[in-house]
Amino acid sequence: ETGVTQTPRHLVMGMTNKKSLKCEQHLGHNAMYWYKQSAKKPLELMFVYSLEERVENNSVPSRFSPECPNSSHLFLHLHTLQPEDSALYLCASSQETGTNGGEQFFGPGTRLTVL
Amino acid sequence: GEDVEQSLFLSVREGDSSVINCTYTDSSSTYLYWYKQEPGAGLQLLTYIFSNMDMKQDQRLTVLLNKKDKHLSLRIADTQTGDSAIYFCAESWNNQGGKLIFGQGTELSVKP
């Protein structure tokens, strides 16, 4: 595998379900990100991890819970979501979060539908 | 505050040049980026420009930055049907930990 991979690619869940999104980067990067992409809206940064520590939590509701067990893996745990949480969730990585933090490599995303 | 604006749609003929425009509000940004998103895929970094530069050229891509007007543009020469995608501009800052603020994206449609 190369680059940034995300699983699953598609997910349909009910409001009472608990599910997790997985992201893995094979680039040797130290920073990882979760973004939410909704139709007709700019990408919204959700979380930033640098060297496995969360450095940014962009006012995201607690029903989204990130986990970064090591610098190659990032999870987004979902529980009691709302229909308005339906979106494309994108994971990205970068070498670091400093000067070149904007040079991010994105995965293909998980298309989430909440019923 | 931080805000990045783009027009939503652009349609061009194959072989023509495309110019995608972006305006931003925070002049303290360090880098400005252009990302491309093809259907069903994540974003791909195309190019970026440091905020103290006026222009950057990379093969068919030319980035122009007018810092006074807070205006960024991406010119694609000899546009091909494979260039059809959504193009996002984004800005970042040295001291804000990899945070990117994106525009809404411009959907480029290239007609044969």
Side-chain angles (χ1 to χ4, degrees), chain B residues 27-110:
Chain B
S27 58
S28 68
S29 52
T30 311
Y31 289 94
L32 295 125
Y33 302 84
W34 285 104
Y35 279 84
K36 175 184 180 182
Q37 186 178 31
E38 296 180 359
L43 277 69
Q44 173 196 358
L45 177 64
L46 285 178
T47 187
Y48 66 92
I49 188 167
F50 189 51
S51 58
N52 69 354
M53 295 170 63
D54 299 323
M55 186 183 92
K56 182 178 180 181
Q57 185 147 10
D58 185 0
Q59 299 183 332
R60 291 192 298 125
L61 305 179
T62 303
V63 178
L64 293 177
L65 175 60
N66 182 329
K67 203 164 180 184
K68 174 175 164 290
D69 294 339
K70 298 177 197 166
H71 182 267
L72 180 74
S73 68
L74 174 70
R75 179 177 179 270
I76 306 173
D78 187 25
T79 314
Q80 302 298 306
T81 54
D83 295 322
S84 294
I86 301 176
Y87 290 80
F88 294 89
C89 66
E91 56 178 341
S92 73
W93 299 260
N94 254 351
N95 60 351
Q96 291 204 28
K99 179 179 173 181
L100 279 173
I101 298 296
F102 285 89
Q104 312 98 300
T106 299
E107 183 174 348
L108 175 64
S109 174
V110 182

Side-chain angles (χ1 to χ4, degrees), chain A residues 1-11 20-26 32-37 43 46 72-76 78 87-93 104-112, chain B residues 37 40-44:
Chain A
E1 294 271 23
T2 57
V4 181
T5 58
Q6 290 187 243
T7 54
R9 294 294 308 275
H10 301 272
L11 178 62
S20 295
L21 310 185
K22 179 183 175 183
C23 175
E24 185 173 359
Q25 58 96 0
H26 310 268
M32 296 186 78
Y33 309 78
W34 279 117
Y35 289 88
K36 176 183 179 183
Q37 186 178 28
L43 268 78
M46 300 175 73
S72 299
H73 293 86
L74 186 65
F75 294 89
L76 188 63
L78 316 171
L88 182 68
Y89 288 84
L90 291 164
C91 172
S93 71
Q104 296 179 15
F105 293 77
F106 283 78
T110 295
R111 173 69 62 188
L112 174 67
Chain B
Q37 186 178 31
L43 277 69
Q44 173 196 358

Side-chain angles (χ1 to χ4, degrees), chain A residues 12-18 63 78-85 113-115:
Chain A
V12 179
M13 59 187 288
M15 289 191 284
T16 58
N17 291 160
K18 287 185 182 182
R63 57 186 184 269
L78 316 171
H79 64 99
T80 58
L81 293 193
Q82 305 297 311
E84 60 264 29
D85 296 322
T113 304
V114 182
L115 301 175

